[in-house]
Amino acid sequence: MKRIFYVACAALLLAACAGGQQRGMVGSAYVSTSRPSLAIEANNMPLATAGEGTANLTASGMLGGLPVRVWLAVYGDAKTANPAIAITAHAEVPRGWYWDGIMRRPFSVNDGMEVFGDVAYQAYTYIVDPKRDPFSVFMESETKSESDPKQWMARAFAARYNFYDDKIVLEYREPLPEGIVSLSALPMGLGDAVAAFEQRARAAFSVGQPPAGSVRREYAATVRWRYMDERFLGTVSKYDSFAR
């Protein structure tokens, strides 16, 4: 009986080692094979860049900031007739840390919940500040300069996974409609603009199970990693004890 038990345990270990945890791209979809197991892709939008890098959470209280691994996929093109971009970010904290509860950004509106892949994501809408945004390079247009950046509106969705070790952030962006300077006080005739935008944002992403195929690992060089911090990813806290 013991021999059967040991053989079964060995088989499970071999299966786990053979599969392993992989994170990266399969085709144009971001894939995580475990913790969490999912595939995310933007619908009907070209892949602009994808890869991994390191974020630095300066609000963590750590000297020099807390390094966090991040996997990204950015879709879309700001120079088309109907410009829009979509962002998938998967961030994993080091052992001994966890992601705090998801808080809305200052001056954001329309808090709510959206379900992707049977998981509830907290959502809100805000106006992007392009000056210290990791993705501003993807939002540049031929008609605006760096000193006069184009304004964008974003709908963000976020959820924590794997006992709060991992966090997925999805974000859909479009140019801010002319005449809107605040989402909490919309001009006459633009009352439905935000609601219509939020419907497009919800339909922009598909979340499912990982497909078959080899996972590509790349570095997203065009992302401004120096600005990838808690403003986009959210804040973290340290466990009192590392014994978990």
Side-chain angles (χ1 to χ4, degrees), residues 9 11 22 26 30 37 47 61 75 81 83 108 119 139 147 150-151 154 159 161 185 190 200 212 214 240:
C9 288
Q22 298 183 72
V26 176
Y30 169 72
S37 176
L47 180 66
Y75 304 83
S108 63
V119 174
M139 303 188 299
S147 60
K150 191 175 191 176
Q151 293 293 304
Y161 289 83
L190 293 175
R200 292 191 295 273
S214 57
D240 292 333

Side-chain angles (χ1 to χ4, degrees), residues 1-231:
M1 189 69 178
K2 286 184 178 179
R3 183 180 178 184
I4 294 174
F5 173 77
Y6 292 139
V7 170
C9 288
L12 288 173
L13 287 172
L14 286 172
C17 291
Q21 183 187 77
Q22 298 183 72
R23 288 171 178 167
M25 303 299 293
V26 176
S28 58
Y30 169 72
V31 169
S32 171
T33 60
S34 65
R35 297 183 300 161
S37 176
L38 49 70
I40 305 173
E41 188 169 10
N43 297 316
N44 304 314
M45 300 178 73
L47 180 66
T49 192
E52 61 183 284
T54 302
N56 195 36
L57 305 186
T58 56
S60 63
M62 293 282 289
L63 184 64
L66 179 73
V68 171
R69 292 184 71 188
V70 181
W71 293 263
L72 290 171
V74 183
Y75 304 83
D77 188 349
K79 297 178 174 64
T80 62
N82 297 299
I85 68 169
I87 301 159
T88 295
H90 178 180
E92 178 186 66
V93 290
R95 182 170 175 79
W97 295 80
Y98 64 92
W99 289 104
D100 293 332
I102 298 163
M103 302 292 291
R104 59 182 288 184
R105 285 179 178 243
F107 310 111
S108 63
V109 298
N110 299 345
D111 293 13
M113 302 290 289
E114 295 284 359
V115 176
F116 294 96
D118 297 326
V119 174
Y121 283 63
Q122 290 180 251
Y124 55 85
T125 301
Y126 72 101
I127 296 175
V128 178
D129 177 5
K131 295 178 182 176
R132 296 178 62 85
D133 183 78
F135 309 101
S136 60
V137 66
F138 302 101
M139 303 188 299
E140 293 172 357
S141 70
E142 296 173 354
T143 59
K144 289 284 183 176
S145 65
E146 232 179 83
S147 60
D148 184 24
K150 191 175 191 176
Q151 293 293 304
W152 287 66
M153 180 165 54
R155 180 70 169 169
F157 311 93
R160 296 179 293 173
Y161 289 83
N162 191 28
F163 302 102
Y164 306 156
D165 283 356
D166 293 76
K167 187 175 186 179
I168 303 287
V169 178
L170 308 177
E171 200 166 284
Y172 177 78
R173 300 180 177 186
E174 290 182 3
L176 189 68
E178 292 290 336
I180 293 182
V181 294
S182 169
L183 297 179
S184 58
L186 297 174
M188 288 287 290
L190 293 175
D192 296 331
V194 174
F197 163 77
E198 290 172 350
Q199 288 183 358
R200 292 191 295 273
R202 174 61 184 84
F205 297 96
S206 292
V207 180
Q209 287 302 302
S214 57
V215 175
R216 305 191 315 274
R217 295 186 62 187
E218 305 170 13
Y219 175 71
T222 46
V223 173
R224 299 201 298 173
W225 285 99
R226 66 187 181 278
Y227 297 136
M228 180 65 72
D229 54 24
E230 56 275 351
R231 282 169 296 189

